[in-house]
Amino acid sequence: MKRKLALFLALIMVFSVFAFGCAKTEETPEEVAAEEEETDVVKIGVFEPMTGANAAGGELEIEGLKLANKLYPEVLGKKVELVIVDNKSDKVEAATAVRRLVDKEKVSIVLGSWGSSFSMAAGPVVKEAQVAAIGTSCTNPLVTLGNEFYFRVCFIDSFQGVVMARYAYEEAGVKKIAILQEISNDYSVALAKFFTDEMVRLTGDEDAIISVSSYNTGDQDFTAQLTNIKNSDAEAIFAPGNFIESALIMKQAKELGMDLPLLGADTWETPEVIDIAKEAAEGAVFSTFFDSEVPLTEETTTFLEAYRAEYGADAEPAAVTALAYDAYLVALDAMERAGTTTDTVAIRDAVAATSMFPGAAGIISLDENGDAVKSAIIKVIEDGKFKYKATVEPF
């Protein structure tokens, strides 16, 4: 009798386990979504260069993201968790990093990256997964073009290149200029093109660009290109590129006895430029997104106070730190307006509708391509510091 009872109980246990297993595998998508909705944590994915040639840029943006998360840790009553992965300053690794965020980590939205090339590499992944991404400082127009799931809180290179060409022609009085571009960097190549087109238009001279020299990311010696420029009629050099190579260009130009004005773009606002180039960086002029001397919104003040409380009373945040901070705020605003933290398409639609959002680095309105239309800041390196020079409104 005891053996029969034991067998009966064992059958009940087996049946229970089997029934439980079936119930788990038969969950509908609606049930899965409901379970996710019940979780208390919202994951925001971040892919930034934390190692490799662009690690310093990634570090500046992560500073802004963590600060925003500290100030605004919740959305729709849920805790926000940043899931930060390293894209290793590499295009292939960038795509892999974002694949991990959307497939494994199941993030609600993606933020990043420093470097247009990495953002462009990740674009097809977020588009296929239908998860919105908000670019922080990636300025190449191709990041968002044709990708309805990629947006950004910074202006783009078609604007930035024109801004610097107008500065060269109208403010610096330059009529003939040499370009030194980082040929393996989409950002640098795009800026060189937009700058060239505007210089030719302004001067009415098809030969306004004396020469276009190229180098690859990671190159260390630029004396051949600089010597050719030194022996030309160039009145200035436009050299948009990664901050390390740009700093070496400044240093080697000085060593060659060159005294031509050096013009660049937003990547130059990285402390490593001054650390590497030192006095050779003095007088370099570049366009960027933000300056603490020119508060643009109430959020600018909130951001600055929080940054200095975190990093010291004399600390000056980089423009990309403010942009990353803004990308986080736009993501939370979109979720609040969409009324969901799990419906990624609804969140995407809300991001696309972003208009007049007051960020730390200015008012953010996204155009039909998902790009922010906003003013540019001109800065100069003086006395070993980045100093405000002018503001250029959108045109």
Side-chain angles (χ1 to χ4, degrees):
M1 185 65 186
K2 287 182 178 179
R3 291 181 60 187
K4 288 183 177 179
L5 179 59
L7 178 62
F8 177 71
L9 292 174
L11 287 172
I12 289 177
M13 291 177 65
V14 169
F15 176 77
S16 298
V17 170
F18 176 74
F20 178 74
C22 288
K24 290 296 286 183
T25 57
E26 291 176 356
E27 280 184 326
T28 65
E30 291 76 13
E31 289 171 333
V32 172
E35 284 186 3
E36 291 175 349
E37 193 74 53
E38 291 172 359
T39 62
D40 295 329
V41 176
V42 180
K43 290 184 177 181
I44 292 182
V46 176
F47 72 116
E48 290 283 356
M50 300 164 71
T51 56
N54 306 124
E59 182 182 350
L60 293 174
E61 297 200 353
I62 290 172
E63 275 184 1
L65 292 164
K66 288 184 174 178
L67 190 63
N69 181 238
K70 186 174 183 178
L71 284 181
Y72 304 99
E74 293 185 355
V75 61
L76 296 175
K78 299 179 181 180
K79 178 185 177 183
V80 179
E81 175 188 337
L82 291 177
V83 182
I84 303 175
V85 294
D86 183 8
N87 65 37
K88 302 179 182 177
S89 304
D90 181 87
K91 296 178 186 179
V92 175
E93 291 289 348
T96 302
V98 171
R99 174 66 68 189
R100 173 186 160 191
L101 290 174
V102 299
D103 286 353
K104 184 179 179 181
E105 299 292 346
K106 305 295 183 186
V107 299
S108 299
I109 195 167
V110 174
L111 307 180
S113 166
W114 195 98
S116 294
S117 296
F118 313 136
S119 300
M120 290 162 63
V125 179
V126 296
K127 186 176 183 179
E128 178 191 344
Q130 297 198 320
V131 175
I134 302 177
T136 42
S137 63
C138 42
T139 51
N140 190 301
L142 295 179
V143 170
T144 57
L145 198 63
N147 190 339
E148 67 272 25
F149 277 85
Y150 225 120
F151 305 87
R152 67 181 124 206
V153 293
C154 59
F155 53 65
I156 60 177
D157 291 332
S158 56
F159 174 64
Q160 183 172 207
V162 171
V163 165
M164 288 311 297
R166 292 187 181 183
Y167 173 83
Y169 178 75
E170 297 170 356
E171 301 297 328
V174 171
K175 305 293 190 298
K176 299 284 188 182
I177 192 164
I179 290 178
L180 191 45
Q181 65 179 358
E182 188 177 334
I183 193 68
S184 51
N185 184 339
D186 300 306
Y187 158 86
S188 179
V189 174
L191 267 173
K193 179 188 182 306
F194 293 122
F195 181 92
T196 297
D197 291 346
E198 184 65 4
M199 276 299 291
V200 170
R201 189 191 72 81
L202 288 168
T203 60
D205 179 5
E206 291 291 334
D207 298 320
I209 306 302
I210 290 286
S211 64
V212 179
S213 306
S214 299
Y215 62 91
N216 287 300
T217 305
D219 283 357
Q220 300 284 308
D221 185 357
F222 307 94
T223 53
Q225 297 96 320
L226 290 169
T227 299
N228 288 335
I229 294 172
K230 183 180 180 181
N231 295 327
S232 73
D233 295 328
E235 300 165 354
I237 302 173
F238 181 57
N242 185 33
F243 50 85
I244 294 176
E245 289 82 353
S246 297
L248 291 173
I249 288 170
M250 295 175 189
K251 190 174 182 180
Q252 291 171 23
K254 191 75 172 179
E255 290 169 352
L256 288 170
M258 301 173 70
D259 197 27
L260 295 178
L262 288 166
L263 309 179
D266 60 278
T267 53
W268 285 17
E269 194 180 19
T270 308
E272 277 72 7
V273 167
I274 296 173
D275 293 343
I276 295 171
K278 297 186 169 44
E279 65 273 13
E282 291 291 303
V285 176
F286 58 93
S287 50
T288 186
F289 312 96
F290 166 86
D291 188 273
S292 59
E293 293 182 20
V294 191
L296 300 168
T297 67
E298 291 184 7
E299 193 64 42
T300 307
T301 304
T302 301
F303 165 71
L304 288 171
E305 290 177 352
Y307 185 87
R308 286 166 181 159
E310 189 80 16
Y311 297 102
D314 297 327
E316 284 296 317
V320 295
T321 304
L323 287 175
Y325 177 94
D326 284 354
Y328 178 92
L329 265 55
V330 168
L332 262 56
D333 177 66
M335 289 185 203
E336 288 173 350
R337 284 187 285 109
T340 177
T341 59
T342 57
D343 186 338
T344 58
V345 174
I347 294 170
R348 176 261 167 227
D349 292 344
V351 174
T354 299
S355 178
M356 301 301 290
F357 180 83
I363 302 295
I364 301 167
S365 293
L366 301 184
D367 66 12
E368 65 277 9
N369 293 321
D371 302 326
V373 179
K374 58 202 306 187
S375 56
I377 302 293
I378 303 287
K379 286 189 180 181
V380 61
I381 299 176
E382 286 181 355
D383 301 325
K385 295 181 179 178
F386 302 116
K387 294 189 177 180
Y388 173 79
K389 195 171 182 68
T391 300
V392 181
E393 298 300 333
F395 39 75

